[in-house]
Amino acid sequence: MTFYRFARAVVLSVCKVACRVRVVGREHVPRSGAYIVAPSHRSILDVPFSAFVTTRTICFLAKEELFSTWFGNAFFTALGAVRVERGTADRAALRALEAELARGQPVAVFPEGTRESGPRIAPLFDGAAYLAVKLGVPIVPVGVGGSEDILPKGKFLPRPRRVAVVVGKPIMPPVFEGRGRRAAATKLTDELAAELQRVFTDALLIAG
């Protein structure tokens, strides 16, 4: 993934200088194997900010509008993005992420679904928990604080400010028997919601 490494180095260097990015808890990220990065979501810039947690290639979901131009399609595809239709249960996207996890690769899923606003984590979708339970991989909660003020919804010119990325301890999916996958995913989603709120609150405090 030469292009990914090049693009990552350029984008993260710009973000680090412009936003004085501070990462806390990077030691919690597994060094190998598959896992799901589950970040808070307040800005489109949360994608590169989430990439600060590891040097490994992370496959992430991206709204289909980002692929509407030839440059966007080439750029996001080369970065390992999987297009998803917002507001739908895109099974093809979930299957693509499942395939990456099965290969032992990390993926990123924004469990709030779309960009939200404010200090409270919105009710979570269960896609991340479903994948974790089905494949038996951990979820790594990541709070990104400060990104909402850089590029709010409806704005096109960024306003650089300090950003903090706080990584929580990996959450292992519960063991289930028989047809208990749905209940296990619900339980894991509840646990993720509590932990994601904790790391997001910490990130907001650090970012100031």
Side-chain angles (χ1 to χ4, degrees):
M1 294 290 286
T2 302
F3 179 79
Y4 175 85
R5 294 193 184 97
F6 172 76
R8 181 185 188 278
V10 172
V11 173
L12 267 61
S13 294
V14 172
C15 288
K16 187 172 184 179
V17 172
C19 302
R20 296 169 290 166
V21 179
R22 179 183 175 187
V23 182
V24 177
R26 189 185 277 119
E27 68 275 8
H28 296 316
V29 179
R31 294 187 178 182
S32 62
Y35 56 86
I36 300 169
V37 177
S40 57
H41 200 14
R42 296 297 177 274
S43 168
I44 191 173
L45 296 175
D46 292 331
V47 172
F49 290 138
S50 299
F52 273 92
V53 307
T54 180
T55 58
R56 297 176 66 190
T57 301
I58 301 177
C59 180
F60 64 93
L61 295 177
K63 61 183 180 179
E64 60 182 356
E65 291 91 333
L66 296 177
F67 297 84
S68 60
T69 66
W70 71 265
F71 175 79
N73 184 65
F75 183 77
F76 286 102
T77 299
L79 286 179
V82 176
R83 71 177 71 197
V84 61
E85 183 179 350
R86 289 192 297 178
T88 67
D90 196 323
R91 297 185 181 278
L94 286 179
R95 285 196 297 269
L97 293 182
E98 184 177 337
E100 291 298 315
L101 290 169
R103 291 176 51 235
Q105 298 299 312
V107 306
V109 177
F110 290 101
E112 291 174 284
T114 187
R115 282 178 288 167
E116 298 290 345
S117 181
R120 303 300 303 175
I121 293 296
L124 305 186
F125 289 89
D126 62 0
Y130 170 82
L131 289 173
V133 169
K134 183 176 182 179
L135 298 176
V137 299
I139 298 180
V140 180
V142 175
V144 182
S147 63
E148 183 173 0
D149 296 328
I150 297 174
L151 196 63
K153 283 185 176 181
K155 301 295 183 180
F156 299 97
L157 295 177
R159 299 176 297 177
R161 59 152 295 166
R162 186 189 303 274
V163 168
V165 180
V166 178
V167 185
K169 294 181 179 180
I171 304 173
M172 291 302 300
V175 177
F176 70 94
E177 297 180 1
R179 305 178 115 183
R181 181 181 294 170
R182 183 179 296 276
T186 298
K187 179 181 178 181
L188 182 57
T189 298
D190 291 342
E191 187 175 355
L192 174 60
E195 186 62 10
L196 188 57
Q197 181 65 67
R198 186 188 70 80
V199 294
F200 183 45
T201 298
D202 288 350
L204 289 174
L205 290 174
I206 295 171

